[in-house]
């Protein structure tokens, strides 16, 4: 492939800073996908060349680097961002420079921009599936905890509504700041013990998530006493937290590395053969891998330097992702995803105990949550190709 | 629930239209089929509202419509009449404008629009503006209704005062006795003190009504 005729693409994940654990795994998936694309002919014979930036987790840096990447008009697509504040910082740069961001993380919804395609889940996808699972298998007495900012509070509110609509009970709800001391975690665990829930819905993130699982374990508690459920504790987080504190607890996600579908097994083997070690694969890794291939697919069938053409190419296509066959909803630019329930094992992977039989339609502006309306929703969700 | 139109009574005084009510809102988009703006309709549907498009502007809107969006510049260009009564039961009116020129600004102020959105449509902020406009509109309706109630009350107070005065002057009774006369007449006729006050003032002879006066000694 000729280098001078190459197609450039921006890749913006933090290799340092507080979000680096997850972003490094998204970066690895992106790099690997780009290698695969180039090994199979690139973009119609042209090499796909990533232009890397490391914003170190700082929203202002994401904004400045996105502006820089899009400045000379060569780059039309950026793969990147992890938190909502990082994505919001990039948003107005994209609108000005006619750039497209492919965003591989789940978030709280309530956003739409013609300049972003959202490959992660929104709450009507994972949260609803988790609530259905919990009500089927556990006494629905729940205690909600999390970090004190928008996403955990929103996620907690939704789960509370879902559990109550299914006849369950919310025994307590507490949020701690990200600088919470060990004493505050201590008092939180004591309150949980006092309420004696069957289920703890955990929306802690980052260091607080680690502190929470360890404090829980530290009080001699485990999944047999009360199950901790999360939408964010992935294989990557368990590597940090340690399997002793997470074993037996559950996570709802669109992808688990332990999936036994042939495409996933082949992919993990391919990665290990190429890189010399297995990937730190989780739902963000899967979404990052998928979005890279979908951009390349769209660039092959349309233009490589026109945002509208690339976006249209992504909307028109579907992709056999590791989580299941996915497509992007043209009305809201979010992804139809395949939620699954995993129970954490002692080796840091998950046993998948339940999964949807159809991709779930994204509804990022959903405001009310009740399980009563879900049957109807599932019917809408069944995609044409099943 | 028809949030924008519901009676602004005391019982819902403390209940703002919240984001959870959003998908119950019925919206009419007044725009021509060609030359309208599909971005606005798409976004309203994306956030989950029921949207009907209509053109030319109708003489009136269905009872259950909560919000009317009107493409003001298309309206001015087409020289069509836009009927709008900003009365107690009107929906929320949101103008969508291309130009900030004196003509259109003047026009939208006369229409008493509740909010304005500029073109091209940027999805960010529409949801929040919509809910703020609906809530402000409801608050205004509540205040208006309270004001109307107060005015009616004031009017009837004046009427009763004048009727009392008439009885006091004619029969040299005390104020309390005069009020007693009005009250007994109202009870006998199964009507209100305001009503009989009006009748007294328009010439009804209360002495023939067989009202027994309890004179104060």
């Amino acid at each position: 492939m000729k280098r001078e005729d190459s197609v450039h693409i921006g890749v913006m994940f933090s290799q340092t800073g507080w979000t680096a654990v997850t972003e490094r795994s998204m970066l690895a998936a992106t790099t690997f996908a780009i290698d695969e694309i180039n090994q199979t002919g690139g973009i119609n014979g042209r090499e796909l060349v990533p232009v890397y930036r490391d914003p170190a987790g700082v929203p202002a840096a994401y904004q400045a680097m996105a502006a820089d990447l899009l400045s000379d008009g060569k780059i039309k697509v950026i793969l990147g961002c992890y938190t909502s504040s990082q994505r919001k910082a990039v948003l107005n740069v994209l609108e000005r420079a006619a750039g497209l961001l492919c965003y591989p993380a789940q978030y709280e919804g309530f956003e739409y921009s013609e300049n972003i395609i959202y490959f992660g889940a929104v709450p009507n996808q994972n949260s609803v599936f988790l609530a259905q699972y919990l009500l089927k298998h556990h006494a629905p007495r729940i205690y909600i905890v999390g970090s004190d900012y928008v996403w955990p509070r929103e996620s907690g509110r939704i789960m509370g509504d879902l559990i109550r609509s299914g006849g369950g009970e919310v025994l307590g709800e507490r949020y701690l700041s990200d600088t919470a001391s060990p004493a505050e975690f201590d008092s939180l665990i004591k309150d949980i013990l006092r309420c004696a829930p069957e289920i703890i819905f955990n929306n802690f993130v980052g260091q607080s998530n680690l502190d929470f699982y360890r404090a829980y374990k530290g009080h001699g508690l485990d999944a047999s006493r009360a199950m901790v459920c999360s939408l964010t504790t992935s294989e990557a987080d368990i590597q940090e937290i340690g399997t002793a504190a997470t074993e037996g607890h559950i996570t709802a996600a669109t992808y688990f590395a332990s999936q036994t579908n042939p495409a996933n097994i082949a992919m993990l083997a391919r990665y290990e053969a190429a890189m010399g070690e297995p990937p730190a694969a989780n739902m963000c890794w899967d979404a990052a891998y998928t979005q890279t291939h979908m951009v390349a697919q769209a660039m092959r069938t349309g233009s490589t330097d026109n945002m509208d053409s690339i976006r249209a190419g992504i909307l028109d296509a579907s992709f056999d992702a590791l989580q299941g066959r996915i497509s992007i909803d043209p009305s809201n630019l979010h992804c139809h995803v395949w939620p699954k329930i995993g129970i954490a094992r002692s080796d840091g992977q998950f046993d998948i105990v339940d999964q949807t039989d159809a991709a779930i339609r994204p509804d990022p502006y959903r405001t009310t949550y009740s399980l009563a309306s879900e049957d109807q929703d599932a019917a809408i969700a069944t995609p044409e190709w099943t | 629930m028809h949030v924008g139109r519901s009676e602004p009574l005391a019982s819902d005084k403390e209940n703002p239209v919240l984001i959870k009510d959003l998908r119950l809102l019925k919206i009419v988009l007044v725009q021509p089929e060609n030359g309208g703006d599909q971005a606005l309709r798409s976004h309203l549907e994306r956030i989950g509202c029921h949207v009907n498009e209509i053109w030319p502007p109708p003489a009136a809107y269905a009872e259950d419509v909560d919000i009317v969006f009107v493409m003001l510049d298309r309206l001015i260009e087409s020289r069509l009449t836009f009927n709008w009564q900003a009365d107690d039961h009107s929906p929320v009116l949101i103008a969508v404008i291309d130009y900030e020129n004196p003509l259109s600004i003047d026009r939208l102020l006369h229409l008493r629009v509740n909010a304005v959105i500029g073109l091209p449509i940027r999805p960010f902020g529409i949801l929040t503006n919509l809910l703020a406009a609906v809530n402000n509109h409801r608050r205004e309706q509540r205040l208006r209704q309270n004001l109307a109630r107060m005015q009616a009350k004031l009017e009837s107070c004046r009427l009763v005062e004048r009727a009392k005065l008439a009885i006091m002057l004619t029969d040299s009774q005390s104020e309390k006795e005069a009020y007693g006369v009005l009250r007994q007449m109202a009870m006998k006729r199964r009507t209100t003190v305001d009503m009989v006050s009006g009748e007294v003032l328009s010439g009804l002879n209360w002495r023939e009504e067989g009202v027994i006066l309890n004179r104060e000694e």
Side-chain angles (χ1 to χ4, degrees), chain B residues 8 15 32 62 69 95 105 108-109 126 128 169 184 191 199:
Chain B
N15 289 329
F69 282 89
I105 293 172
L108 66 86
L109 291 178
I126 288 182
T128 312
L169 289 173
Q184 284 195 41
T191 179
E199 289 168 6

Side-chain angles (χ1 to χ4, degrees), chain A residues 266-277:
Chain A
M267 163 75 189
L268 296 180
R270 218 160 56 231
Y271 187 99
E272 194 170 348
M275 312 301 286
E277 56 175 2

